[in-house]
């Protein structure tokens, strides 16, 4: 249930709720951290349930000595009234058998609070993509300054992020035969029917890829097709429940592998930004993109403490 | 999937903790027998709060039944030893009840007759001032039992006019710092306090990005959400079993307002603590 920080519950009518799904690589949660930290959103309450593993720590978005001693728990709600945004951050995993009750409690709060729409940030196992989703067999044709050098690079991309070609090389797909083989994006979106009515045009103009249906049971060839989000945690449950409850929900996800998922999180917030325009549009300079999102102070030491000096 | 150095591909555990495919399948394919087994297991793992004399369950939560102004909770054997020697020996404490629970960490399979040498969770109040409560919890309370414990102890109508102090230990390798953990002066104390706790702590506050889990986190989260003043004193140590130096690391707390008036004779308490240590040491010698 939602418990406000102050005495009365804030009015969230018409707001957009951004929330993560606890999913592979924790990409949704990392993306939420970036959004809350960059927009300097203020905490308005807690989403207190018995469904998430308890954890506490001091303010993860601390910027000064003064604000570094506020206690944070596992599920908190932040808001930015000027942009009509409210963000829910989840910081721990579900207790066994409690993920469905959590979805129910969450969606009933969404309905009662009057939020206009929900955007779920999530991720899915990149190794579980089917052939259509992989679609990354492509031909590189490099042209250097002096003369064109043709290099056929057949690369199966198990990685979710494709780097742009190194400087000095231009890539162009000159053979029309190969036009259908240009590399696909690792990002996908999903809209509930009630959301489709309002934002379909905007999404179409962004040229985004909708999440494809795949076989419900991959091993069986004649099983039905349905939306599957392996590694997405409660994403599918939230989506299905929202469809049936007629809640306006959009799911934005990226195909990722576990590892250093900060670049994936940055990619996901940029993807979200294309639609919501939280920050100014991206210029062509790739070096600017990473620095405009404020990394929270709690992201230090993500891979453990310092090493003993005697090790070297 | 991840590749190991030996050239094999293994399924890496998902950091997001989701075994969701299996859980989804479980939900869809759960037969009545499966459901019955699951419910039976849930009943076995239930947390029960029992009255001292009658050993019957309390109908309401502990703090709904008894008024409370101060509640000190020790979680873990070192914290329990500290309160036993320094606080419980300085006054007359009466047992009010105990919590009985079972999980995989318990060394016995008998859930109804846990003997006194087993891990325990007992509640006391001070005879001279019955609104001062103490909890000695040396058993491990599992994830699915933590909220149940909170429900049985605090109830659903939180009162703001009480102060909670929690003492617990953590292994020093859990502490994240830019130096190496080997160079830290363990054991050392850190504190975490809720917004409504206005006094100062006797040690530095826990720095980012460190976090706390388990029952201490559950209690502190409850207090933060319901605006109850509470403080958690965390002792980072490299010895998790009962250890004199670790227990003595809690000593700075004796001078704080949380324990004011509850500690009388410190030298005597230290003696008692030493005796507690020696009885345990003999048991741990593998040659006897």
């Amino acid at each position: 249930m939602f418990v406000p920080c102050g005495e009365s519950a804030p009015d969230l009518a018409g707001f957009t709720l951004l929330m993560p799904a606890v999913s592979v690589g924790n990409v949704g949660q990392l993306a939420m951290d970036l959004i809350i930290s960059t927009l300097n959103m203020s905490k308005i309450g807690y989403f207190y349930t018995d469904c998430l593993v308890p954890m506490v720590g001091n303010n993860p978005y601390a910027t000064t000595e003064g604000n570094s001693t506020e206690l944070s728990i596992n599920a908190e709600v932040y808001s930015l009234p000027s942009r009509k945004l409210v963000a829910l951050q989840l910081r721990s995993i579900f207790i066994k058998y409690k993920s469905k009750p959590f979805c129910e409690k969450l969606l009933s709060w969404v309905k009662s609070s009057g939020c206009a729409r929900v955007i779920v940030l999530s991720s899915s196992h990149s190794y579980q993509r089917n052939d259509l989703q992989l679609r990354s067999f492509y031909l590189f044709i490099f042209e250097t300054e002096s003369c064109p050098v043709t290099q056929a690079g057949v690369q199966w991309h198990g990685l979710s992020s494709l780097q742009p070609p190194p400087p000095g090389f231009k890539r162009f797909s000159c053979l029309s035969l190969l036009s259908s083989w240009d590399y696909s994006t690792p990002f996908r979106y999903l809209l509930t029917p009630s959301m489709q009515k309002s934002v379909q045009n905007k999404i179409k103009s962004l040229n985004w890829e909708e999440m494809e249906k795949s076989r419900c049971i991959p091993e069986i060839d004649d099983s039905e097709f349905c939306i599957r989000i392996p590694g997405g945690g409660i994403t599918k449950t939230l989506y299905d429940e929202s469809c049936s409850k007629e809640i306006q929900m959009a799911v934005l996800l990226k195909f990722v592998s576990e590892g250093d998922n900060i670049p994936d999180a940055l990619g996901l917030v940029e993807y979200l930004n294309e639609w919501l325009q939280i920050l100014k549009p991206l210029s062509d300079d790739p070096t600017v993109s990473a620095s405009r999102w404020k990394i929270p102070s709690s992201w230090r030491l993500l891979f453990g403490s310092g090493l003993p000096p005697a090790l070297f | 999937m991840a590749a190991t150095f030996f050239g094999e591909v293994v399924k890496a555990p998902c950091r997001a903790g989701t075994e969701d495919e299996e859980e989804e399948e479980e939900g869809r394919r759960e037969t009545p027998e499966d459901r019955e087994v699951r419910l039976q297991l849930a009943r076995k793992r239930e947390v029960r709060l029992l009255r001292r004399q009658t050993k019957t369950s309390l109908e309401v939560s502990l703090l709904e039944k008894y008024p409370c102004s101060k509640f000190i909770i020790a979680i873990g054997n070192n914290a329990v030893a500290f309160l036993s020697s320094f606080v419980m020996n300085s006054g007359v404490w009466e047992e009010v009840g105990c919590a009985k629970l079972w999980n995989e960490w318990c060394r016995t399979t008998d859930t109804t007759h846990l003997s006194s040498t087993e891990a325990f969770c007992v509640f006391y109040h001070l005879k001279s001032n019955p609104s001062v409560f103490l909890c000695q919890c040396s058993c491990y309370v599992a994830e699915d039992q933590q909220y149940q414990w909170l429900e049985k102890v605090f109830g659903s109508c939180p009162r703001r006019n009480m102060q909670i102090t929690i003492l617990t230990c953590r292994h020093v390798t859990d502490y994240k710092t830019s130096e190496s953990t080997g160079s830290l002066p363990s054991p050392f104390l850190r504190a975490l306090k809720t917004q409504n706790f206005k006094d100062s702590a006797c040690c530095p506050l826990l720095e980012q990005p460190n976090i706390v889990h388990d029952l201490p986190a559950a209690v502190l989260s409850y207090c933060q959400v319901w605006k109850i003043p509470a403080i958690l004193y965390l002792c980072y140590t490299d010895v998790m079993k009962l250890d004199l130096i670790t227990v003595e690391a809690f000593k700075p707390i004796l001078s704080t307002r949380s324990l004011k008036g509850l500690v009388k004779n410190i030298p005597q308490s230290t003696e008692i603590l030493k005796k507690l240590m020696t009885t345990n040491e003999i048991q741990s010698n593998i040659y006897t």
Side-chain angles (χ1 to χ4, degrees):
Chain A
M1 56 181 284
F2 177 71
V3 181
C5 280
E7 290 307 320
S8 60
D11 181 22
L12 299 175
F15 276 49
T16 300
L17 171 66
L18 298 170
M19 64 165 286
V22 179
S23 56
V24 58
N26 308 99
V27 175
Q29 296 160 285
L30 291 171
M32 280 314 303
D33 261 356
L34 284 171
I35 294 169
I36 296 170
S37 165
T38 310
L39 296 178
N40 210 5
M41 295 174 92
S42 46
K43 184 156 69 173
I44 56 166
Y46 308 97
F47 195 70
Y48 189 65
T49 61
D50 61 349
C51 306
L52 291 160
V53 169
M55 55 86 31
V56 287
N58 274 328
N59 186 6
Y61 312 112
T63 45
T64 65
E65 276 277 332
N67 62 21
S68 66
T69 57
E70 293 156 18
L71 198 67
S72 276
I73 68 165
N74 58 10
E76 298 188 316
V77 183
Y78 299 78
S79 86
L80 189 66
S82 56
R83 302 290 302 267
K84 288 209 136 185
L85 284 176
V86 57
L88 167 68
Q89 176 62 306
L90 300 175
R91 300 194 173 101
S92 59
I93 54 175
F94 293 106
I95 294 173
K96 210 165 159 64
Y97 304 119
K98 295 280 191 178
S99 54
K100 217 139 189 231
F102 179 80
C103 292
E104 283 158 27
K105 287 179 187 164
L106 177 72
L107 293 177
S108 78
W109 172 60
V110 166
K111 281 216 135 163
S112 62
S113 67
C115 284
R117 56 192 188 172
V118 184
I119 301 177
V120 179
L121 300 178
S122 179
S123 55
S124 183
H125 283 303
S126 64
Y127 68 79
Q128 293 233 16
R129 287 178 291 176
N130 58 26
D131 293 341
L132 259 106
Q133 288 164 332
L134 271 173
R135 268 214 319 172
S136 51
F137 167 31
Y138 61 99
L139 214 62
F140 264 127
I141 299 198
F142 294 117
E143 184 182 316
T144 62
E145 260 80 44
S146 48
C147 60
V149 170
T150 312
Q151 182 180 26
V154 178
Q155 284 187 10
W156 292 106
H157 285 270
L159 302 172
S160 48
S161 53
L162 291 166
Q163 304 296 325
F169 290 89
K170 264 193 294 174
R171 184 190 67 227
F172 55 102
S173 52
C174 58
L175 301 171
S176 59
L177 269 176
L178 297 171
S179 61
S180 61
W181 295 95
D182 48 347
Y183 73 86
S184 68
T185 159
F187 298 103
R188 292 290 185 279
Y189 76 92
L190 260 183
L191 300 174
T192 56
S194 36
M195 184 72 145
Q196 263 166 10
K197 290 178 207 144
S198 40
V199 301
Q200 190 65 18
N201 295 327
K202 172 80 180 155
I203 301 286
K204 267 204 159 66
S205 68
L206 292 167
N207 250 335
W208 277 2
E209 293 259 358
E210 189 171 7
M211 185 72 176
E212 304 89 342
K213 292 198 170 163
S214 53
R215 291 188 202 285
C216 283
I217 306 164
E219 295 83 23
I220 298 176
D221 277 338
D222 57 354
S223 66
E224 285 173 7
F225 276 77
C226 60
I227 303 280
R228 277 179 68 237
I229 309 177
I234 56 167
T235 311
K236 177 91 192 335
T237 315
L238 279 176
Y239 176 73
D240 289 338
E241 292 288 309
S242 299
C243 284
S244 59
K245 293 195 168 89
E246 294 185 352
I247 295 177
Q248 290 196 31
M249 176 180 282
V251 173
L252 266 57
L253 64 86
K254 184 174 193 231
F255 289 115
V256 302
S257 312
E258 294 257 347
D260 180 0
N261 298 107
I262 294 176
D264 297 313
L266 285 165
L268 193 60
V269 285
E270 286 292 349
Y271 185 61
L272 175 70
N273 198 45
E274 281 175 37
W275 173 17
L276 289 189
Q277 302 281 300
I278 305 171
L279 297 187
K280 286 197 302 294
L282 184 62
S283 59
D284 276 325
D285 185 5
T287 53
V288 175
S289 66
S291 57
R292 67 210 196 115
W293 296 97
K294 191 160 110 190
I295 306 280
S297 55
S298 55
W299 283 20
R300 300 174 49 229
L301 306 173
L302 272 178
F303 298 102
S305 292
L307 299 168
L311 196 64
F312 303 108
Chain B
M1 298 295 204
T4 67
F5 286 111
F6 302 106
E8 38 173 18
V9 174
V10 294
K11 187 163 188 214
C14 183
R15 248 191 281 130
T18 50
E19 301 295 327
D20 55 306
E21 299 276 15
E22 292 153 35
E23 205 170 295
E24 256 180 60
E25 309 292 337
E26 264 173 48
R28 264 185 268 142
R29 284 200 248 123
E30 197 179 49
T31 64
E33 291 88 21
D34 289 341
R35 193 161 179 273
E36 190 49 44
V37 167
R38 186 162 63 82
L39 289 174
Q40 244 181 28
L41 193 62
R43 272 193 292 270
K44 193 176 180 190
R45 296 175 71 97
E46 219 175 87
V47 177
R48 286 167 295 142
L49 216 63
L50 306 172
R51 269 194 219 92
R52 182 177 74 91
Q53 287 122 333
T54 56
K55 294 291 178 203
T56 52
S57 295
L58 276 162
E59 325 78 37
V60 288
S61 71
L62 189 78
L63 297 188
E64 271 171 53
K65 195 173 166 72
Y66 302 100
C68 171
S69 61
K70 208 181 239 193
F71 196 177
I72 307 162
I73 308 174
I75 301 171
N77 50 7
N78 284 303
V80 164
F82 175 75
L83 282 191
S84 288
S85 332
F86 289 87
V87 176
M88 293 196 72
N89 279 296
S90 305
V92 183
W93 293 85
E94 197 183 16
E95 188 184 322
V96 174
C98 65
K100 283 265 186 270
L101 54 95
W102 176 87
N103 53 49
E104 293 76 14
W105 284 66
C106 290
R107 293 208 190 141
T108 171
T109 46
D110 186 347
T111 59
T112 45
H113 300 108
L114 292 168
S115 68
S116 54
T117 52
E118 298 292 335
F120 51 81
C121 181
V122 189
F123 299 89
Y124 303 89
H125 69 179
L126 192 59
K127 223 164 171 180
S128 55
N129 183 359
S131 71
V132 177
F133 275 81
L134 199 142
C135 171
Q136 299 278 60
C137 183
S138 75
C139 61
Y140 176 67
V141 182
E143 266 168 25
D144 55 321
Q145 296 170 319
Q146 285 154 18
Y147 286 105
Q148 275 190 59
W149 189 97
L150 278 177
E151 187 67 41
K152 295 279 157 78
V153 176
F154 288 87
S156 37
C157 304
R159 267 179 282 177
R160 291 191 206 174
N161 53 352
M162 57 178 171
Q163 200 191 67
I164 318 270
T165 308
I166 311 158
L167 280 73
T168 192
C169 281
R170 267 251 131 21
H171 200 272
V172 74
T173 48
D174 275 350
Y175 185 71
K176 290 215 177 73
T177 169
S178 46
E179 317 158 18
S180 140
T181 44
S183 60
L184 290 170
S186 65
F188 57 91
L189 273 187
R190 285 292 183 271
L192 272 179
K193 51 185 182 152
T194 61
Q195 201 154 12
N196 290 58
F197 188 89
K198 300 300 179 198
D199 298 334
S200 55
C202 61
C203 62
L205 293 184
L206 190 62
E207 305 88 345
Q208 287 85 344
N210 290 292
I211 56 174
V212 179
H213 300 282
D214 289 335
L215 192 60
V219 179
L220 211 62
S221 302
Y222 179 91
C223 295
Q224 172 72 0
V225 171
W226 300 113
K227 303 183 176 65
I228 303 170
I231 185 160
L232 163 64
Y233 284 106
L234 202 49
C235 179
Y236 281 100
T237 173
D238 43 14
V239 181
M240 285 314 279
K241 61 180 178 73
L242 201 56
D243 170 59
L244 184 65
I245 303 175
T246 304
V247 177
E248 293 202 320
F250 281 113
K251 270 181 158 167
I253 307 172
L254 296 173
S255 54
T256 63
R257 265 190 70 182
S258 308
L259 293 188
K260 197 171 78 159
L262 295 174
V263 182
K264 302 277 161 51
N265 195 338
I266 295 183
Q268 192 190 49
S269 303
T270 319
E271 281 309 307
I272 294 169
L273 182 62
K274 287 208 173 88
K275 278 205 199 114
L276 212 73
M277 295 295 151
T278 44
T279 39
N280 275 287
E281 258 170 39
I282 292 168
Q283 284 169 11
S284 66
N285 187 335
I286 61 167
Y287 294 108
T288 57

